[in-house]
Amino acid sequence: MKISTIIAVVCSGVLTASAQDNSLPINAASNSVLIFPGFINRLVEEARTNNPALKASDSRARAAALNAEAIRSWEDPTASFGVNVFSAQGFATSENGDLVYGVQQKLPLWGMPDLNRKVASSKISTREAETDFHFQQVRRDLIKALAATALAERVVDVDEQDLTWLKATAQAVEAKYRAGQTDAGDALQLQNEVALRTDELLTDQLELHHGWFALNRLLNREATSAWPLLQLPAVAPTVPYSAKLIALGLTNEPELKILEGEVQQARASAELTRRTRLPDVGLGVQGWQYSGDGGFRQGAFTVSFSLPWLNESKYRKDYERERETQRAAEQDRENQTLIVQEELHHLTVDLDAARRKALLYQNEIAVRARQALADKLAAWETGRVALREVLDAHRDALDAQLMAARSIAAQYQTLADLLLWTGLDGFDALVPLANEPELIPHHANH
């Protein structure tokens, strides 16, 4: 068998494996798991239960709810107790009483308890929006980590097959050198390639181990927990920048919900501050009793109130401060609406570019690279090209497969960002958006 035939057989195995079908959830041949929505959803639910950041966010939301439930309509009454002391020229203690006691109750006027509840309720909404935001961030990070780990596994797989091809080629070239059919340069060149690829394989294996580590961290698993082989899905459809996409973003984007809660909280706080300039009013009752015989001597009913008018300008400044805080929150919300629209446009551009790149490498460049490699092998066998050209053609063929895989991984990482910015539950919810009309058509001459 010719040396080019031996190399071609090994190379064919490498390239055939890199073009395996990605349409099944579980690949029986490689025992790998496809990253599909059902698999992702199971991991997301595990993260919801185990991730410490999500549990902390849930606790903050419950604390805000308990704070709202603890708002009191009536303040605690104030009790007082004292002793009257009279001089020799004063009243007789037995007539007026020497023991004084009383109770004073502040009245819940001006709707203050309701305003306090409104402020507390707005904090609940904000905390719940933050909890949802953190959950969607963890889901996005998990999807990105899955795609990155699946890509790392693909890179390691190609590295191993590449190394196998290089070792087989090196043995064949050494046999050819011993037969006097080539010089030592080709054999030494291949030995260097084997050494370089062996080191690259080790680096890529460590990157894969880090991918598993990151996944375990997101799910709060043991750092050494095992993972099945992960397989990237097929090329995803594009999602155009459409009116429906923008509407979803402006309705569901989690940071916008947080800012809306902050606006409501600032508005309630401003109204609460405005009413603090009104006087506090309290009712009281007092009694005098003589300690000698325990008899009651006299009583009094009182009405007390604060005098806030001396600090009228200060109260006005307090209210203006809260109003400025409210305006700042409203402007932050407005700015976030602009950011959402820009980010959605950016993501659709990136998603379309990744899709085109994946299809280009998968359907065109990889095919031509395999054909070029076969041609270089035949030409090298007849001495028309140097071994370096064969190695370069082999590297181009593998790089084309890896570029297709990297583009698919980039697509799904972009889709993960798109889920975060639209507040949707999963990839399935994005599918109907693929048929929406483009809001800003692409112009070739722009």
Side-chain angles (χ1 to χ4, degrees), residues 287-325:
W288 283 262
Q289 185 175 345
Y290 179 50
S291 60
D293 57 11
F296 180 78
R297 294 297 187 265
Q298 61 179 311
F301 295 95
T302 62
V303 176
S304 61
F305 50 89
S306 62
L307 300 174
W309 298 284
L310 295 176
N311 288 315
E312 179 67 25
S313 62
K314 306 301 181 183
Y315 285 113
R316 186 169 59 252
K317 295 297 182 182
D318 285 341
Y319 178 62
E320 291 174 358
R321 178 198 64 213
E322 294 299 325
R323 286 286 294 165
E324 288 300 323
T325 301

Side-chain angles (χ1 to χ4, degrees), residues 63 149 178 189 216 329 380 408 436:
T149 304
R178 287 193 294 270
Q189 195 172 34
N216 286 329
W380 177 65
I408 293 174
E436 291 293 318

Side-chain angles (χ1 to χ4, degrees), residues 140-167:
R140 177 203 60 187
D141 295 344
L142 182 59
I143 295 173
K144 285 189 169 186
L146 286 169
T149 304
L151 176 61
E153 290 182 0
R154 186 76 191 92
V155 171
V156 168
D157 182 56
V158 170
D159 285 347
E160 291 172 345
Q161 296 177 62
D162 184 19
L163 190 58
T164 300
W165 185 89
L166 286 171
K167 288 179 178 178

Side-chain angles (χ1 to χ4, degrees), residues 200-216:
E200 287 182 6
L201 173 60
L202 177 59
T203 300
D204 291 335
Q205 286 173 336
L206 293 175
E207 289 291 336
L208 174 58
H209 292 164
H210 178 71
W212 293 333
F213 187 95
L215 287 170
N216 286 329

Side-chain angles (χ1 to χ4, degrees), residues 66-380:
L66 292 171
N67 178 62
E69 294 173 3
I71 299 297
R72 298 161 182 80
S73 295
W74 290 84
E75 296 288 342
D76 294 333
T78 302
S80 61
F81 180 81
V83 177
N84 275 334
V85 178
F86 298 98
S87 69
Q89 289 78 28
F91 295 102
T93 304
S94 60
E95 294 178 358
N96 290 276
D98 56 350
L99 300 178
V100 183
Y101 47 83
V103 177
Q104 187 170 8
Q105 174 66 58
K106 181 180 176 182
L107 299 180
L109 300 179
W110 326 124
M112 298 297 282
D114 290 337
L115 282 174
N116 280 314
R117 290 190 188 93
K118 190 172 182 180
V119 172
S121 297
S122 63
K123 290 181 180 179
I124 296 176
S125 300
T126 303
R127 288 300 188 188
E128 288 176 346
E130 288 174 350
T131 299
D132 181 62
F133 181 41
H134 293 153
F135 168 71
Q136 295 200 46
Q137 280 183 318
V138 169
R139 182 181 63 181
R140 177 203 60 187
D141 295 344
L142 182 59
I143 295 173
K144 285 189 169 186
L146 286 169
T149 304
L151 176 61
E153 290 182 0
R154 186 76 191 92
V155 171
V156 168
D157 182 56
V158 170
D159 285 347
E160 291 172 345
Q161 296 177 62
D162 184 19
L163 190 58
T164 300
W165 185 89
L166 286 171
K167 288 179 178 178
T169 305
Q171 292 176 358
V173 169
E174 287 176 6
K176 191 174 182 181
Y177 168 68
R178 287 193 294 270
Q181 298 175 355
T182 186
D183 56 27
D186 287 349
L188 295 173
Q189 195 172 34
L190 275 169
Q191 289 174 9
N192 286 339
E193 288 292 326
V194 169
L196 286 172
R197 298 297 174 259
T198 300
D199 184 70
E200 287 182 6
L201 173 60
L202 177 59
T203 300
D204 291 335
Q205 286 173 336
L206 293 175
E207 289 291 336
L208 174 58
H209 292 164
H210 178 71
W212 293 333
F213 187 95
L215 287 170
N216 286 329
R217 194 270 303 174
L218 285 169
L219 299 174
N220 199 21
R221 294 180 179 178
E222 292 291 334
T224 56
S225 296
W227 279 82
L229 296 177
L230 300 175
Q231 183 181 351
L232 287 170
V235 179
T238 189
V239 177
Y241 185 68
S242 62
K244 187 172 183 179
L245 182 67
I246 296 173
L248 284 170
L250 296 181
T251 304
N252 301 327
E253 198 273 320
E255 271 198 274
L256 266 179
K257 291 182 178 180
I258 293 174
L259 292 173
E260 178 61 31
E262 291 180 356
V263 169
Q264 298 303 324
Q265 184 176 334
R267 184 175 292 126
S269 296
E271 180 60 21
L272 180 64
T273 302
R274 186 181 71 84
R275 296 196 191 182
T276 57
R277 64 183 177 83
L278 299 173
D280 293 332
V281 180
L283 295 178
V285 59
Q286 285 185 330
W288 283 262
Q289 185 175 345
Y290 179 50
S291 60
D293 57 11
F296 180 78
R297 294 297 187 265
Q298 61 179 311
F301 295 95
T302 62
V303 176
S304 61
F305 50 89
S306 62
L307 300 174
W309 298 284
L310 295 176
N311 288 315
E312 179 67 25
S313 62
K314 306 301 181 183
Y315 285 113
R316 186 169 59 252
K317 295 297 182 182
D318 285 341
Y319 178 62
E320 291 174 358
R321 178 198 64 213
E322 294 299 325
R323 286 286 294 165
E324 288 300 323
T325 301
Q326 178 186 339
R327 293 188 189 97
E330 290 170 347
Q331 291 302 316
D332 284 339
R333 180 185 58 184
E334 181 64 25
N335 183 60
Q336 185 65 16
T337 62
L338 300 177
I339 292 175
V340 168
Q341 296 177 66
E342 179 189 359
E343 187 63 24
L344 288 176
H345 184 265
H346 188 201
L347 291 173
T348 57
V349 170
D350 288 349
L351 185 62
D352 180 65
R355 173 180 168 80
R356 287 185 285 102
K357 194 172 187 178
L359 292 175
L360 176 63
Y361 274 94
Q362 185 174 280
N363 299 336
E364 297 184 39
I365 294 179
V367 175
R368 288 193 285 268
R370 289 196 295 269
Q371 294 173 347
L373 176 57
D375 182 68
K376 292 296 183 182
L377 282 169
W380 177 65

